[in-house]
Amino acid sequence: MSTNETKESANMDEVTETNDSAVSGDEPQAEEQTTGESERIAELERLADDHHSRYLRAQADFDNFRRRTQKEKEELAQYASMKLITQLLPVLDNFGRALQAGEGAGGTDSFAKGVDMIFRQLSQVLEAEGLKPMDAVGQQFDPELHQAIMRVESDEHEEGIVVEVVQTGYMLKDRVIRPAMVKVSG
């Protein structure tokens, strides 16, 4: 063997020993890195699960918000005419009073007919919008529907029954917009 070959052989032996010692010395570090990496992966998975659950909750909240907004929008459209109808109720009441007063007078037959026609026309318009007068006489008193203004003695009715309506109550579709003022048997 030549001296060059001997030197190369010696260098290769050193490299092999260095690699062997490096490999044997790296094994504990590799285990530490693997443990550290698995902890890091587990932490990242927990974060991903946390973000995913937050995303699902946010999506559910948005769906609930959308449904609630749609329902409010439908209710608004359904009851949009409530303010107008509430303002027209006194007019309706006055027409009713004028008709009652006209029935007692003798020579005002044409006046009463004209007022009656106006009253019917106005009533039809309001009914087309969903306004319905309450029929309270003879019904059990209900504080949701009636406003008691007087308690009267009655032999004809049991206690708590509406005897007379002083002011008509009205419902718009399925909602009470003005309770009926009533006299209740006591």
Side-chain angles (χ1 to χ4, degrees):
M1 260 203 233
S2 71
T3 54
N4 284 341
E5 289 177 0
T6 308
K7 286 183 184 179
E8 286 179 9
S9 176
N11 284 339
M12 289 185 88
D13 289 341
E14 286 177 9
V15 169
T16 304
E17 287 177 8
T18 306
N19 285 342
D20 287 343
S21 67
V23 169
S24 64
D26 282 343
E27 287 177 0
Q29 288 178 357
E31 288 177 5
E32 288 175 6
Q33 285 179 351
T34 305
T35 304
E37 286 177 5
S38 64
E39 289 175 0
R40 177 75 176 143
I41 290 171
E43 179 64 25
L44 291 174
E45 287 176 347
R46 281 192 295 271
L47 282 173
D49 289 344
D50 182 44
H51 290 298
H52 183 69
S53 64
R54 285 184 184 186
Y55 164 76
L56 292 177
R57 276 186 255 129
Q59 188 175 18
D61 287 345
F62 179 74
D63 288 344
N64 291 338
F65 170 77
R66 188 170 21 102
R67 283 189 209 109
R68 187 173 51 249
T69 305
Q70 182 66 26
K71 183 180 176 184
E72 289 171 358
K73 188 177 176 182
E74 290 170 2
E75 271 191 15
L76 180 63
Q78 187 176 12
Y79 295 103
S81 58
M82 184 183 296
K83 182 179 178 187
L84 171 66
I85 290 175
T86 304
Q87 292 172 344
L88 287 174
L89 288 177
V91 175
L92 193 61
D93 292 336
N94 289 335
F95 270 122
R97 288 185 193 106
L99 286 172
Q100 287 176 350
E103 291 173 1
T108 59
D109 216 18
S110 62
F111 174 76
K113 285 182 182 178
V115 172
D116 185 45
M117 287 178 7
I118 295 169
F119 179 76
R120 287 182 192 185
Q121 182 183 19
L122 180 61
S123 294
Q124 288 173 351
V125 168
L126 294 174
E127 284 176 14
E129 287 294 317
L131 182 72
K132 292 178 273 185
M134 290 183 200
D135 184 27
V137 175
Q139 305 250 341
Q140 181 71 30
F141 176 77
D142 182 357
E144 297 286 325
L145 303 174
H146 309 121
Q147 180 180 355
I149 60 168
M150 189 180 292
R151 190 174 211 95
V152 295
E153 294 298 323
S154 174
D155 296 330
E156 299 172 18
H157 301 286
E158 298 176 14
E159 186 174 331
I161 302 294
V162 174
V163 177
E164 182 183 343
V165 175
V166 177
Q167 185 179 46
T168 305
Y170 291 94
M171 295 185 73
L172 181 61
K173 299 186 177 141
D174 61 348
R175 186 180 287 179
V176 176
I177 62 170
R178 186 175 79 182
M181 285 188 187
V182 296
K183 293 181 182 178
V184 181
S185 63

